[in-house]
Amino acid sequence: MTNILDDYALMSPLRQQNNWLKLAIVLFGLLVGISSTSPVPSLFIALCMSFTTIALGKAPLKLYLKLLLAPVGFAVVGILIIAFFSGSGQELLSFKFLGYPLSVRKDGLELALLVLARSISGMCCLYFLALTTPMIELFALLKASRLPESFIELSMLIYRYIFVFLDMALSIRYAQTVRLGYSSFSRSLHSLGMLGSTLFIRSWEQGDKLFLAMNSRCYDGKMTLFEVHRPVGTPELLLTSAYFFLTLALLYLTKNASIV
Amino acid sequence: MHIMEGFLPTPWWQIWFAVSIPVILFGIHKLNRLVNEKREILPLLAVAGAFIFVLSSLKLPSINGSCSHPTGTGIAAIMFGPAISAVLGIIVLIYQALFLAHGGLMPLGANVFSMGIAGPVVAYLIYKAGMKANLNFYAVVFLATAFGDWATYVTTSVQLALAYPAGDVLTLAGFMSSFGKFAAIFAVTQVPLAIMEGAVSALLFKYVVNVKSDILVEMKVIEDKVVKKLKGISA
């Protein structure tokens, strides 16, 4: 029963840690990662977050690498554009492609590597949160942040429906595939239309039923969540401060450094 | 594609947050009013939100397996208008960032602007104009969702080009050249994908009109006589 990241988060030992602390660590990583002008602090953040997720959070290494690989692929496509088309300094590499001259310049390459490092650090931070904190815990944070009641209610309902949808979508898709529904392009288009509309209407009906069931049990838009009080222990506090301090030091030291 | 974590440099992610937040607040205000008026609409809202999530996670038959995907926001825009779509958009984007590391928290403002605001506004305007011009309902839905999808990707290209203009300094020429490149790379997959999304949305509305047309009429999405005409054709 481990279909999505939330399932791993529910089993993670770091789940028992204070949610605000985890959120602070993630936001700190994101902010420093994006404001660093050299890839070194970003890569340091990525390394620390990965270590915490795998060693302390007990996320399977294989899964983690697989998770990281997909967005890194997208990032590489994005930075290739930056590498080729921005920058004005010294040319490092140039060749002709279909008659167009393409060249990688020094500062273009530097910018591309920096952006790649920032993306990786950001993704490691997000995966740390995703793999150690189940959504249920985050709802408690949302409640505490005093966002409008209807916004939170809608978020929770959407969260519930994502699972209704995914279950139904997978089984319908399986049934369609078995009946050769995706054997040709026009067929897959037709199957997808059927899948989409059936999914929409069925989930809608199921949603109506759920709502009716909740209303008949005196649901008035306020779902009370059970929030566990989890104090921050000394080891966590020390580790986090050391991490914050080291990252800020690296950020300061690499302020004017150049890598290429 | 949503812009990834770390991809937007420092001034830009704050700027896009500043642009998006007022719209989101207005959307929440409208949402509050709608929910207070008609609580029974909530399941439908949630279904539309979850639909956006699933549609942008389900793999479509794509040509080169690139990072493009349908947005799914056109349907929400047609049903609830752009302001509420923006609220649905931000919830979905937060979930995608936290579940799938698709998008991110820092570029959230930029992503909300492209997927939750620009796309739905275009879809909504096209839908309203098309219905006023008395065009076929399904054709209008097709056009609205397809153009809404393109608007999302054009906006994303604009955001990327503003952040990474050619020649490092933000000039009009540098912006245009960089914009052309980002847009061209997106266009390879997004032109067919948007057409497909339009077709799927039109098919979806066909089933919804057949089964649950009363709610669409009640929400003033389409008029009663249009439903009767459509049912007359499809029956």
Side-chain angles (χ1 to χ4, degrees):
Chain A
M1 270 310 285
T2 44
N3 293 321
I4 66 159
L5 300 185
D6 226 31
D7 299 332
Y8 291 97
L10 283 167
M11 299 187 296
S12 168
L14 285 185
R15 187 194 165 180
Q16 308 305 332
Q17 297 298 331
N18 185 298
N19 291 322
W20 290 106
L21 181 73
K22 279 189 277 187
L23 200 63
I25 291 174
V26 168
L27 288 181
F28 172 81
L30 291 177
L31 275 174
V32 172
I34 209 161
S35 47
S36 76
T37 49
S38 134
V40 179
S42 307
L43 289 178
F44 177 71
I45 293 169
L47 218 64
C48 288
M49 289 282 97
S50 307
F51 176 77
T52 322
T53 315
I54 295 166
L56 305 177
K58 298 269 185 293
L61 180 66
K62 236 182 179 170
L63 168 95
Y64 189 75
L65 290 179
K66 221 172 85 189
L67 283 177
L68 215 52
L69 213 60
V72 165
F74 296 154
V76 166
V77 175
I79 65 149
L80 276 182
I81 307 176
I82 297 173
F84 277 112
F85 298 117
S86 75
S88 48
Q90 178 200 351
E91 273 188 24
L92 292 178
L93 171 78
S94 67
F95 56 91
K96 281 203 168 182
F97 178 72
L98 298 174
Y100 286 100
L102 286 177
S103 62
V104 179
R105 291 168 194 282
K106 185 168 174 288
D107 41 358
L109 182 64
E110 244 174 61
L111 185 66
L113 287 177
L114 176 62
V115 171
L116 183 65
R118 280 180 184 166
S119 295
I120 292 176
S121 85
M123 275 176 307
C124 289
C125 289
L126 286 182
Y127 277 135
F128 166 70
L129 195 67
L131 286 168
T132 61
T133 317
M135 210 61 215
I136 315 283
E137 311 269 339
L138 290 178
F139 284 134
L141 295 192
L142 268 184
K143 283 237 155 174
S145 65
R146 293 216 212 143
L147 280 162
E149 209 56 67
S150 62
F151 182 79
I152 296 170
E153 193 188 0
L154 191 59
S155 316
M156 291 205 265
L157 279 175
I158 289 180
Y159 178 71
R160 168 70 197 133
Y161 284 157
I162 286 171
F163 295 102
V164 176
F165 259 113
L166 279 180
D167 274 355
M168 217 177 306
L170 285 177
S171 54
I172 294 177
R173 206 182 149 91
Y174 186 59
Q176 284 178 328
T177 318
V178 166
R179 291 166 181 76
L180 300 180
Y182 292 93
S183 56
S184 71
F185 183 75
S186 60
R187 270 194 192 175
S188 30
L189 202 62
H190 185 71
S191 302
L192 212 66
M194 272 196 335
L195 171 76
S197 44
T198 316
L199 207 58
F200 198 82
I201 290 173
R202 280 229 214 140
S203 316
W204 188 356
E205 271 168 3
Q206 221 163 346
D208 270 343
K209 279 181 201 158
L210 174 77
F211 206 62
L212 197 68
M214 277 169 24
N215 276 340
S216 49
R217 286 163 181 78
C218 302
Y219 174 65
D220 60 348
K222 286 179 193 65
M223 226 178 295
T224 342
L225 288 175
F226 178 62
E227 197 187 353
V228 189
H229 182 65
R230 299 193 180 104
V232 184
T234 325
E236 290 104 78
L237 205 62
L238 279 178
L239 210 59
T240 312
S241 345
Y243 163 65
F244 279 15
F245 178 74
L246 273 176
T247 316
L248 286 176
L250 262 180
L251 184 68
Y252 179 74
L253 287 176
T254 57
K255 212 169 40 174
N256 300 314
S258 157
I259 39 149
V260 182
Chain B
M1 179 181 89
H2 314 323
I3 299 175
M4 300 178 77
E5 193 68 79
F7 226 87
L8 277 187
T10 296
W12 291 107
W13 63 266
Q14 286 112 325
I15 291 175
W16 291 113
F17 261 116
V19 175
S20 302
I21 283 174
V23 184
I24 297 295
L25 289 180
F26 178 66
I28 290 180
H29 170 73
K30 279 206 114 168
L31 175 74
N32 269 334
R33 226 175 45 197
L34 183 72
V35 169
N36 285 339
E37 233 168 71
K38 281 194 267 195
R39 280 195 59 76
E40 67 274 14
I41 206 93
L42 258 175
L44 181 57
L45 273 170
V47 167
F51 197 72
I52 298 174
F53 183 93
V54 171
L55 211 57
S56 32
S57 318
L58 259 190
K59 257 198 223 146
L60 276 176
S62 169
I63 298 161
N64 57 359
S66 98
C67 43
S68 298
H69 61 79
T71 58
T73 45
I75 298 161
I78 291 173
M79 285 180 141
F80 308 112
I84 291 179
S85 306
V87 181
L88 291 177
I90 196 169
I91 296 177
V92 168
L93 283 167
I94 292 175
Y95 282 153
Q96 287 188 329
L98 295 181
F99 281 168
L100 313 166
H102 191 55
L105 292 182
M106 292 292 133
L108 187 64
N111 288 332
V112 167
F113 187 79
S114 66
M115 195 173 121
I117 298 172
V121 165
V122 169
Y124 185 74
L125 290 179
I126 290 178
Y127 177 73
K128 282 286 163 201
M131 290 318 278
K132 217 166 221 169
N134 250 334
L135 297 174
N136 177 289
F137 174 67
Y138 301 128
V140 177
V141 170
F142 171 80
L143 287 177
T145 38
F147 276 98
D149 190 309
W150 282 325
T152 300
Y153 282 83
V154 169
T155 316
T156 309
S157 307
V158 168
Q159 289 168 336
L160 286 173
L162 280 173
Y164 297 105
D168 286 343
V169 194
L170 186 55
T171 57
L172 189 65
F175 166 74
M176 286 315 288
S177 123
S178 184
F179 169 71
K181 272 148 200 161
F182 280 115
I185 285 171
F186 276 140
V188 175
T189 46
Q190 209 53 38
V191 169
L193 262 182
I195 293 173
M196 241 181 284
E197 188 184 344
V200 170
S201 308
L203 273 174
L204 195 153
F205 265 99
K206 189 177 158 198
Y207 287 97
V208 175
V209 166
N210 274 338
V211 183
K212 290 206 163 197
S213 56
D214 46 332
I215 296 206
L216 291 181
V217 174
E218 196 186 318
M219 283 168 55
K220 299 197 181 78
V221 175
I222 46 176
E223 288 167 33
D224 204 21
K225 61 174 197 256
V226 182
V227 174
K228 284 200 178 116
K229 207 175 113 198
L230 286 174
K231 282 198 168 167
I233 295 165
S234 57

Short mmCIF file of all heavy atoms in Angstrom, two decimals, chain A residues 93-114:
data_model
loop_
_atom_site.label_atom_id
_atom_site.label_comp_id
_atom_site.label_asym_id
_atom_site.label_seq_id
_atom_site.Cartn_x
_atom_site.Cartn_y
_atom_site.Cartn_z
N LEU A 93 32.39 26.48 -26.19
CA LEU A 93 32.08 25.37 -27.07
C LEU A 93 31.12 25.91 -28.13
O LEU A 93 30.19 26.63 -27.81
CB LEU A 93 31.36 24.28 -26.24
CG LEU A 93 30.74 23.11 -26.97
CD1 LEU A 93 31.83 22.14 -27.35
CD2 LEU A 93 29.74 22.42 -26.07
N SER A 94 31.39 25.64 -29.39
CA SER A 94 30.43 26.09 -30.39
C SER A 94 30.41 25.12 -31.55
O SER A 94 31.41 24.52 -31.90
CB SER A 94 30.78 27.50 -30.86
OG SER A 94 31.98 27.46 -31.57
N PHE A 95 29.23 24.93 -32.08
CA PHE A 95 29.10 24.02 -33.24
C PHE A 95 27.87 24.44 -34.02
O PHE A 95 27.09 25.28 -33.58
CB PHE A 95 29.01 22.57 -32.80
CG PHE A 95 27.90 22.30 -31.83
CD1 PHE A 95 26.63 21.93 -32.28
CD2 PHE A 95 28.10 22.43 -30.45
CE1 PHE A 95 25.62 21.68 -31.39
CE2 PHE A 95 27.08 22.19 -29.56
CZ PHE A 95 25.84 21.81 -30.04
N LYS A 96 27.73 23.86 -35.19
CA LYS A 96 26.58 24.20 -36.02
C LYS A 96 25.56 23.08 -35.96
O LYS A 96 25.90 21.90 -36.07
CB LYS A 96 27.03 24.43 -37.46
CG LYS A 96 27.64 25.79 -37.61
CD LYS A 96 27.56 26.25 -39.04
CE LYS A 96 27.92 27.73 -39.05
NZ LYS A 96 27.87 28.36 -40.31
N PHE A 97 24.30 23.46 -35.76
CA PHE A 97 23.24 22.47 -35.72
C PHE A 97 22.19 22.86 -36.74
O PHE A 97 21.59 23.93 -36.63
CB PHE A 97 22.64 22.41 -34.31
CG PHE A 97 21.51 21.45 -34.18
CD1 PHE A 97 21.74 20.09 -34.20
CD2 PHE A 97 20.21 21.91 -34.07
CE1 PHE A 97 20.70 19.20 -34.09
CE2 PHE A 97 19.16 21.02 -33.96
CZ PHE A 97 19.41 19.67 -33.97
N LEU A 98 22.03 22.06 -37.79
CA LEU A 98 21.09 22.36 -38.87
C LEU A 98 21.31 23.76 -39.43
O LEU A 98 20.38 24.48 -39.77
CB LEU A 98 19.64 22.24 -38.39
CG LEU A 98 19.18 20.89 -37.89
CD1 LEU A 98 17.78 20.97 -37.32
CD2 LEU A 98 19.24 19.84 -38.99
N GLY A 99 22.58 24.15 -39.50
CA GLY A 99 22.88 25.45 -40.07
C GLY A 99 22.87 26.58 -39.07
O GLY A 99 23.32 27.68 -39.38
N TYR A 100 22.32 26.34 -37.85
CA TYR A 100 22.33 27.41 -36.85
C TYR A 100 23.60 27.31 -36.02
O TYR A 100 23.93 26.22 -35.55
CB TYR A 100 21.13 27.28 -35.91
CG TYR A 100 19.84 27.67 -36.53
CD1 TYR A 100 18.96 26.71 -37.00
CD2 TYR A 100 19.49 29.02 -36.64
CE1 TYR A 100 17.76 27.06 -37.58
CE2 TYR A 100 18.30 29.37 -37.22
CZ TYR A 100 17.43 28.39 -37.69
OH TYR A 100 16.25 28.74 -38.25
N PRO A 101 24.28 28.39 -35.81
CA PRO A 101 25.43 28.31 -34.92
C PRO A 101 24.96 28.27 -33.46
O PRO A 101 24.13 29.07 -33.05
CB PRO A 101 26.19 29.61 -35.22
CG PRO A 101 25.16 30.53 -35.79
CD PRO A 101 24.08 29.72 -36.39
N LEU A 102 25.47 27.30 -32.72
CA LEU A 102 25.13 27.20 -31.30
C LEU A 102 26.41 27.32 -30.50
O LEU A 102 27.43 26.73 -30.88
CB LEU A 102 24.48 25.84 -31.00
CG LEU A 102 23.05 25.62 -31.46
CD1 LEU A 102 22.62 24.20 -31.14
CD2 LEU A 102 22.12 26.60 -30.77
N SER A 103 26.36 28.07 -29.43
CA SER A 103 27.57 28.16 -28.65
C SER A 103 27.24 28.27 -27.16
O SER A 103 26.21 28.83 -26.77
CB SER A 103 28.39 29.37 -29.08
OG SER A 103 27.64 30.54 -28.85
N VAL A 104 28.11 27.68 -26.36
CA VAL A 104 27.99 27.81 -24.91
C VAL A 104 29.03 28.81 -24.45
O VAL A 104 30.21 28.67 -24.76
CB VAL A 104 28.25 26.45 -24.23
CG1 VAL A 104 28.13 26.60 -22.73
CG2 VAL A 104 27.26 25.42 -24.74
N ARG A 105 28.57 29.82 -23.73
CA ARG A 105 29.51 30.82 -23.24
C ARG A 105 29.77 30.62 -21.76
O ARG A 105 29.00 29.93 -21.08
CB ARG A 105 28.94 32.22 -23.50
CG ARG A 105 28.92 32.55 -24.97
CD ARG A 105 28.10 33.80 -25.22
NE ARG A 105 27.81 33.93 -26.64
CZ ARG A 105 28.69 34.35 -27.55
NH1 ARG A 105 29.90 34.66 -27.18
NH2 ARG A 105 28.33 34.45 -28.81
N LYS A 106 30.83 31.27 -21.29
CA LYS A 106 31.29 31.01 -19.93
C LYS A 106 30.22 31.33 -18.89
O LYS A 106 29.86 30.50 -18.07
CB LYS A 106 32.54 31.84 -19.67
CG LYS A 106 33.19 31.56 -18.34
CD LYS A 106 34.56 32.19 -18.30
CE LYS A 106 35.22 32.09 -16.96
NZ LYS A 106 34.64 32.94 -15.94
N ASP A 107 29.68 32.57 -18.97
CA ASP A 107 28.72 32.93 -17.94
C ASP A 107 27.38 32.23 -18.14
O ASP A 107 26.65 32.00 -17.20
CB ASP A 107 28.55 34.45 -17.84
CG ASP A 107 28.51 35.11 -19.19
OD1 ASP A 107 28.67 34.38 -20.18
OD2 ASP A 107 28.33 36.34 -19.27
N GLY A 108 27.09 31.86 -19.40
CA GLY A 108 25.87 31.08 -19.64
C GLY A 108 25.95 29.74 -18.94
O GLY A 108 25.01 29.29 -18.28
N LEU A 109 27.11 29.09 -19.07
CA LEU A 109 27.30 27.78 -18.44
C LEU A 109 27.24 27.91 -16.92
O LEU A 109 26.63 27.08 -16.24
CB LEU A 109 28.65 27.21 -18.87
CG LEU A 109 28.98 25.82 -18.34
CD1 LEU A 109 27.99 24.80 -18.89
CD2 LEU A 109 30.39 25.42 -18.67
N GLU A 110 27.84 28.97 -16.40
CA GLU A 110 27.83 29.18 -14.96
C GLU A 110 26.40 29.34 -14.44
O GLU A 110 26.01 28.73 -13.45
CB GLU A 110 28.64 30.42 -14.60
CG GLU A 110 29.85 30.11 -13.78
CD GLU A 110 30.70 31.33 -13.58
OE1 GLU A 110 30.19 32.29 -12.98
OE2 GLU A 110 31.86 31.33 -14.05
N LEU A 111 25.63 30.16 -15.18
CA LEU A 111 24.24 30.38 -14.79
C LEU A 111 23.46 29.08 -14.83
O LEU A 111 22.69 28.76 -13.93
CB LEU A 111 23.62 31.41 -15.74
CG LEU A 111 22.21 31.85 -15.40
CD1 LEU A 111 22.20 32.60 -14.08
CD2 LEU A 111 21.62 32.71 -16.50
N ALA A 112 23.71 28.27 -15.89
CA ALA A 112 22.99 27.02 -16.03
C ALA A 112 23.29 26.08 -14.88
O ALA A 112 22.38 25.47 -14.30
CB ALA A 112 23.35 26.36 -17.36
N LEU A 113 24.58 25.98 -14.51
CA LEU A 113 24.94 25.09 -13.41
C LEU A 113 24.33 25.57 -12.10
O LEU A 113 23.86 24.78 -11.29
CB LEU A 113 26.46 25.02 -13.27
CG LEU A 113 27.16 24.22 -14.37
CD1 LEU A 113 28.66 24.28 -14.19
CD2 LEU A 113 26.69 22.77 -14.37
N LEU A 114 24.32 26.90 -11.93
CA LEU A 114 23.74 27.47 -10.71
C LEU A 114 22.25 27.13 -10.62
O LEU A 114 21.76 26.70 -9.57
CB LEU A 114 23.94 28.99 -10.73
CG LEU A 114 23.32 29.76 -9.59
CD1 LEU A 114 23.93 29.31 -8.28
CD2 LEU A 114 23.52 31.25 -9.79
#
